[in-house]
Amino acid sequence: MTPLFYALIAPDDPALAALIARHAAHSAAHYPSDSNHNEDGAALAAQGAVMFAGRGGPAGPVLAMGGYKPIGPDAAEIKSMHVAEAARGQGAGAHILGLILAHAHAAGLRRISLETGSLPASAAARRLYARAGFVTCPAFGTYRPDPMSIFMTRTL
């Protein structure tokens, strides 16, 4: 596959809509609705999220995405990490995560946390986060403990 082109993208950019929908469909296929915490582009934009996209060409389709939203004066939460099946296994997720961590650090944030699924469908995501220095933690923010969720965090 051709290398992806990575850049900041507005959370509500229509180019993200298809991948956001695939992300939500993946979650819905594996987790009950009360354990899904996906947000659409409009909700992410309203919360001040910073998003990155990996495109298949300078103006090609978005094949990888991820971002973060502020959850406190020096903390953020990773949101909407997803790589299209066609781009998996090529480092796109790790690249997007690296962009998120670098941007959040440069923005003066000290901690970044996330919620991901506990089932095998989310095993690759959990491995990616662990390799990047995330460790499990209790539920944070407005989350409640849920056996379908794994909460992770790391300092920046």
Side-chain angles (χ1 to χ4, degrees), residues 47-147:
Q47 296 172 75
V50 174
M51 294 293 293
F52 294 91
R55 292 178 179 263
V62 176
L63 299 173
M65 68 176 184
Y68 69 91
K69 68 178 188 178
I71 59 170
D74 63 352
E77 177 186 0
I78 291 179
K79 294 299 291 182
S80 299
M81 283 284 298
H82 192 84
V83 177
E85 286 186 36
R88 290 184 185 161
Q90 300 174 47
H95 194 90
I96 292 278
L97 183 57
L99 292 170
I100 291 168
L101 297 175
H103 193 280
H105 182 264
L109 299 174
R110 295 183 187 270
R111 175 159 302 282
I112 193 158
S113 304
L114 62 94
E115 179 277 335
T116 192
S118 64
L119 298 179
S122 302
R126 293 190 306 271
R127 286 190 301 272
L128 171 69
Y129 298 132
R131 282 193 306 268
F134 285 83
V135 296
T136 58
C137 67
F140 61 90
T142 60
Y143 291 107
R144 297 179 185 266
D146 179 350

Side-chain angles (χ1 to χ4, degrees), residues 1-98:
M1 178 167 182
T2 308
L4 298 184
F5 292 79
Y6 297 93
L8 281 165
I9 189 168
D12 53 358
D13 187 311
L16 277 180
L19 196 55
I20 287 174
R22 275 192 242 159
H23 179 57
H26 178 268
S27 296
H30 298 284
Y31 295 96
S33 61
D34 60 343
S35 293
N36 277 318
H37 306 287
N38 297 316
E39 296 177 295
D40 65 18
L44 290 167
Q47 296 172 75
V50 174
M51 294 293 293
F52 294 91
R55 292 178 179 263
V62 176
L63 299 173
M65 68 176 184
Y68 69 91
K69 68 178 188 178
I71 59 170
D74 63 352
E77 177 186 0
I78 291 179
K79 294 299 291 182
S80 299
M81 283 284 298
H82 192 84
V83 177
E85 286 186 36
R88 290 184 185 161
Q90 300 174 47
H95 194 90
I96 292 278
L97 183 57

